[in-house]
Amino acid sequence: MISSAAAALDSRHPLAVSAGVDMEVTYRKIAWRLIPFLVFLFVLAWIDRVNVGFAKLQMLQDLQFSEAVYGLGAGIFFIGYFLFEVPSNLLLEKIGARKTLARITILWGLASMAMAYVTTPIGFYALRFLLGVFEAGFFPGVVLYLTYWFPAERRARINGLFMTSFAIAGAIGGPIAGLVMSRMEGVGHLANWQWLFILEGIPSLIAGVLVLRYLPEKPANAKWLTTAEQQAVTQALVAENTASGKHVSFKDALKSSRVWICAAVYFCLVSGNATIAFWAPSIIKEIGIKGNLQIGLISAIPFIAGTLAMIWNGVHSDKSGERRMHCAVATLIASTGLILTGLCLGNALMAMCALTLAAIGILAAFPVFWSIPAAFLAGTAAAGGIALINSIGNLAGFAAPYLIGALKTSTGSLSSGLYFVAALEFAASFLLILFVRRT
């Protein structure tokens, strides 16, 4: 997957010709070294973030929590995430990616494991908030980290390869969660949902230690690149980041209307992502699928389709050089899929097809979107601006699950919540088409 994407990159770069460096080979080497490990880390982060959606199938009954309590707890993660994301990314620029990502990974693993011992709504809210605090900065940190290695014209497909972690986590997280929930009930006097949090938190602790040993800070620190390759990659990025028209300070980023428009668009995108992440198991259960393992296996289908769409859209966007409409069309597809899911909840096959369509649109939008702010931000502006966009956007991760839970409690159906999120996806298309520059 990585090699095919890398093969489509330009074979040589003007700055590298004199040194005899083949940039296609160099960037393929970098992609193979970095992307699988970063995908692995984010799969762990995503599973630990959203496994509460599977734990919900039994946890709410055991603890006597309402749907509204669950919705608030699922979403409050993003409040902690919002408050600490910009500081975390600015710190990453100062102390480096290795220390930052290792700290984040270890702490979120501990918080996830502690979720097994929740007994009250307050405890549930507190640990979900702390999980958000600890994970804050990971995703924008990786987006920033990739700008240290890949120039703008390569980033949509590289972002797409990294962001397949969303879909991979959904594809494998569901079956794993279903297996744990179906096999671990009562083992060691713990409920199945308690084992889910414990068993899925342990790998994050191990991965945090591996970050320190495996991940180089920048091309100059990559021992697996030749000196000429290190210099060629660094020179290409220096030339790009000193180009006119880029914001370089965080103050400049705060003043840029483009940053705030991107934040609004991302808010709408994340509302859809949070919906399928936190509510897909409930949607599948509502359309009549029984059994935790079956729900877990079937929940992988939308994410597998979304993975393919994400890669294709990123590659096609890089080839064409166009960003805005690639993102806008994807969000229109997402909106349509969510509306159809709400309308088809009484028909299992149609509802699953509609949910898959929604996942295709939602996930396809992400890699192209992140190429937009990276095109006009550099340096500290990139560190702070990317984190600001991500933190504001991820407030939708609080709003969407909470509102869906509240609407489900008041109406008894998921349909009204799905229509609300569909409206936000449509709003993303509107903002992209009218206010984002043609790129």
Side-chain angles (χ1 to χ4, degrees):
M1 187 167 58
I2 293 173
S3 59
S4 64
L9 302 177
D10 296 335
S11 61
R12 303 181 70 82
H13 192 285
L15 291 172
V17 171
S18 61
V21 175
D22 188 323
M23 296 304 285
E24 179 185 342
V25 173
T26 301
Y27 284 117
R28 184 188 298 126
K29 185 189 298 185
I30 294 171
W32 269 112
R33 285 281 185 164
L34 298 184
I35 298 301
F37 185 66
L38 294 172
V39 165
F40 171 67
L41 291 180
F42 194 79
V43 165
L44 295 179
W46 189 255
I47 286 175
D48 286 345
R49 181 194 298 189
V50 306
N51 57 10
V52 68
F54 288 92
K56 167 185 180 287
L57 299 175
Q58 185 64 40
M59 182 176 71
L60 267 61
Q61 179 180 331
D62 289 352
L63 300 180
Q64 297 299 299
F65 289 174
S66 70
E67 296 280 355
V69 167
Y70 167 74
L72 178 58
I76 206 169
F77 164 94
F78 294 98
I79 301 298
Y81 198 85
F82 168 77
L83 293 174
F84 287 87
E85 192 158 41
V86 172
S88 179
N89 230 34
L90 293 175
L91 183 64
L92 182 150
E93 193 191 22
K94 291 182 179 295
I95 70 172
R98 291 169 63 251
K99 292 179 181 178
T100 301
L101 297 181
R103 179 256 303 167
I104 288 172
T105 307
I106 291 169
L107 289 178
W108 91 50
L110 290 172
S112 179
M113 293 174 69
M115 284 286 294
Y117 302 99
V118 162
T119 57
T120 67
I122 296 300
F124 181 47
Y125 301 153
L127 280 175
R128 287 292 297 174
F129 177 82
L130 285 175
L131 185 65
V133 170
F134 295 150
E135 194 189 317
F138 179 79
F139 178 80
V142 172
V143 172
L144 175 65
Y145 179 66
L146 291 175
T147 69
Y148 298 161
W149 297 85
F150 298 96
E153 68 269 15
R154 303 173 188 266
R155 283 185 197 139
R157 72 194 71 186
I158 291 299
N159 287 342
L161 290 171
F162 165 61
M163 292 175 197
T164 57
S165 49
F166 295 163
I168 292 170
I172 68 173
I176 291 173
L179 184 63
V180 172
M181 294 280 285
S182 64
R183 299 292 178 85
M184 298 300 290
E185 177 63 35
V187 176
H189 305 292
L190 295 176
N192 54 9
W193 59 269
Q194 291 177 299
W195 278 114
L196 181 65
F197 289 125
I198 293 170
L199 294 178
E200 293 192 341
I202 291 173
S204 296
L205 303 183
I206 299 170
V209 176
L210 293 177
V211 169
L212 295 172
R213 297 182 59 87
Y214 184 83
L215 205 64
E217 292 288 353
K218 291 186 178 181
N221 308 115
K223 296 180 180 179
W224 34 267
L225 292 177
T226 67
T227 301
E229 288 171 335
Q230 292 174 351
Q231 292 175 348
V233 172
T234 301
Q235 288 170 1
L237 293 169
V238 168
E240 177 181 277
N241 289 334
T242 55
S244 61
K246 282 204 170 191
H247 300 300
V248 294
S249 74
F250 187 43
K251 184 178 180 181
D252 289 338
L254 289 174
K255 292 179 179 179
S256 171
S257 61
R258 289 189 287 177
V259 167
W260 296 101
I261 290 169
C262 284
V265 170
Y266 198 59
F267 181 94
C268 298
L269 292 184
V270 171
S271 69
N273 201 33
T275 297
I276 60 171
F278 290 116
W279 287 96
S282 297
I283 293 169
I284 293 168
K285 185 176 182 180
E286 183 152 318
I287 63 178
I289 306 300
K290 305 297 182 184
N292 291 324
L293 182 58
Q294 289 81 358
I295 291 173
L297 290 171
I298 291 173
S299 70
I301 295 172
F303 290 97
I304 292 171
T307 301
L308 299 176
M310 181 182 284
I311 296 170
W312 182 87
N313 206 35
V315 171
H316 192 271
S317 176
D318 273 352
K319 285 182 177 180
S320 66
E322 199 283 328
R323 310 298 189 194
R324 183 185 62 149
M325 292 306 298
H326 278 76
C327 194
V329 171
T331 53
L332 280 175
I333 292 171
S335 179
T336 302
L338 289 167
I339 291 171
L340 291 174
T341 303
L343 292 173
C344 297
L345 285 179
N347 184 311
L349 177 61
M350 293 299 294
M352 274 305 302
C353 289
L355 185 62
T356 301
L357 181 66
I360 287 171
I362 291 164
L363 294 174
F366 276 86
V368 180
F369 170 81
W370 280 113
S371 298
I372 295 172
F376 62 86
L377 297 172
T380 304
I386 288 171
L388 180 66
I389 291 166
N390 195 57
S391 61
I392 292 174
N394 271 289
L395 286 176
F398 167 76
Y402 174 68
L403 287 171
I404 291 174
L407 289 169
K408 172 81 185 302
T409 298
S410 62
T411 66
S413 172
L414 285 169
S415 295
S416 55
L418 294 173
Y419 299 151
F420 170 77
V421 177
L424 290 177
E425 294 297 317
F426 180 81
S429 301
F430 178 83
L431 290 170
L432 285 161
I433 292 170
L434 291 188
F435 296 109
V436 173
R437 294 182 183 179
R438 296 176 184 271
T439 54

